[in-house]
Amino acid sequence: QVQVVESGGGLVQPGGSLRLSCAASGSIFSIYAMGWYRQAPGKQRELVARITSGGSTNYADSVKGRFTISRDNAKNTVYLQMNSLKPEDTAVYYCNLETRRTWWGQGTQVTVSS
């Protein structure tokens, strides 16, 4: 079994920063990629950022230049540094692990509000 656990969400003012972490553990034999998705109320889940095992990254246009995804392969951990946060970044953020199948974390709430 595989576990995917996110941490680091919370309430932050517009313009502030947060860092999300996601640790994967269990019977993991080969990771293709890890990423972050988010879902705001009434909206579909969308890709925020993704990083492959080789280090290639891609970002949603709405977060380019503000968010940075990084990864510690030895720890099977992925991070999302979020700067210059906006109210429209408010959502539940989910970690995604791509192996031979896909695994999801339980989600962590990020609220950007004054």
Side-chain angles (χ1 to χ4, degrees), residues 19-41:
R19 188 190 194 214
L20 304 183
S21 299
C22 170
S25 61
S27 301
I28 302 171
F29 298 103
S30 180
I31 296 177
Y32 303 148
M34 296 183 75
W36 291 94
Y37 290 70
R38 67 186 180 187
Q39 187 166 18

Side-chain angles (χ1 to χ4, degrees), residues 63 89 95:
V63 307
D89 295 317
C95 181

Side-chain angles (χ1 to χ4, degrees), residues 39-108:
Q39 187 166 18
K43 296 187 176 181
Q44 290 188 332
R45 190 173 297 189
E46 63 175 0
L47 172 68
V48 177
R50 180 179 178 267
I51 184 167
T52 69
S53 58
S56 296
T57 60
N58 62 291
Y59 295 89
D61 288 343
S62 59
V63 307
K64 285 180 180 177
R66 300 188 297 122
F67 292 10
T68 302
I69 190 170
S70 60
R71 180 172 166 178
D72 185 334
N73 288 334
K75 296 181 179 179
N76 289 337
T77 299
V78 65
Y79 306 96
L80 185 68
Q81 178 66 44
M82 305 185 294
N83 299 327
S84 302
L85 282 160
K86 304 176 181 180
E88 51 263 43
D89 295 317
T90 296
V92 178
Y93 284 68
Y94 295 92
C95 181
N96 174 269
L97 170 66
E98 296 176 37
T99 63
R100 286 183 294 174
R101 56 164 288 183
T102 298
W103 305 86
W104 292 93
Q106 79 288 352
T108 185

